Amino acid sequence: MPSLRYAFLLNAVRELGRSAPDIARARASWDACLERIRETCVASLGMEFDTLTRFDARSVVGLFSHPEQARILARLVDERARLCEAHGRYADALADSVYAGQLLMGSRARFGLPRDARAADVLEREAGTPAPLMDAGE
């Protein structure tokens, strides 16, 4: 069963990497970018973005079996924060940035820092570094 979980996680990281350029290009359009973030969440984590973000970060991290899943969601929430900021919704951007940080802290609290860092190294070697979600000019 661990190999199946690992394969799922590897696919999640790859999906995030494939979707990153599309999300960055769609940032000019609120609806298009938000829809792309939602699609990426379902494709990479198998869960609805809007549902996950309605709960506190600690509870959401408790749903995950691997620290990289929390990282993926944190990246998507951070991308929504950038979208909010680009469209002048500063309070929403701040709330999303805080939530992304809470997801990462919850991941470290649950999985521990050494396991968290080791998992990232293994996934990076296997899948390569995913494309950044932000433009180089930002």
Side-chain angles (χ1 to χ4, degrees), residues 42-62:
V42 169
S44 61
L45 297 174
M47 294 181 239
E48 294 286 333
F49 182 79
D50 294 326
T51 302
L52 288 172
T53 56
R54 291 189 197 281
F55 297 99
D56 66 288
R58 185 175 178 193
S59 297
V60 172
V61 170

Side-chain angles (χ1 to χ4, degrees), residues 6 9-11 13-14 122-130:
Y6 181 74
L9 193 57
L10 207 51
N11 273 343
V13 171
R14 288 179 180 148
V122 169
L123 284 167
E124 192 172 301
R125 270 196 313 263
E126 285 287 325
T129 304

Side-chain angles (χ1 to χ4, degrees), residues 9 64-72 107 111-112 115-116 119:
L9 193 57
F64 299 139
S65 62
H66 197 279
E68 194 62 27
Q69 290 171 299
R71 276 200 183 114
I72 289 170
S107 174
F111 298 106
R115 183 172 170 196
D116 192 18

Side-chain angles (χ1 to χ4, degrees), residues 1-136:
M1 196 55 99
S3 61
L4 184 60
R5 188 178 311 140
Y6 181 74
F8 173 78
L9 193 57
L10 207 51
N11 273 343
V13 171
R14 288 179 180 148
E15 182 61 35
L16 181 66
R18 280 192 297 270
S19 300
D22 294 336
I23 291 171
R25 278 192 299 272
R27 201 175 293 141
S29 168
W30 174 265
D31 292 330
C33 189
L34 195 55
E35 186 59 33
R36 192 66 191 130
I37 290 169
R38 289 175 178 144
E39 290 171 0
T40 302
C41 188
V42 169
S44 61
L45 297 174
M47 294 181 239
E48 294 286 333
F49 182 79
D50 294 326
T51 302
L52 288 172
T53 56
R54 291 189 197 281
F55 297 99
D56 66 288
R58 185 175 178 193
S59 297
V60 172
V61 170
L63 296 172
F64 299 139
S65 62
H66 197 279
E68 194 62 27
Q69 290 171 299
R71 276 200 183 114
I72 289 170
L73 182 59
R75 287 178 187 139
L76 292 172
V77 171
D78 186 59
E79 186 58 33
R80 186 173 68 177
R82 293 176 192 283
L83 174 66
C84 289
E85 188 271 329
H87 289 271
R89 300 172 87 169
Y90 300 112
D92 292 337
L94 179 60
D96 282 345
S97 293
V98 168
Y99 188 70
Q102 289 172 340
L103 287 166
L104 295 174
M105 287 179 4
S107 174
R108 289 201 172 113
R110 177 165 183 227
F111 298 106
L113 188 59
R115 183 172 170 196
D116 192 18
R118 186 175 56 85
D121 291 341
V122 169
L123 284 167
E124 192 172 301
R125 270 196 313 263
E126 285 287 325
T129 304
L133 288 178
M134 58 187 204
D135 296 328

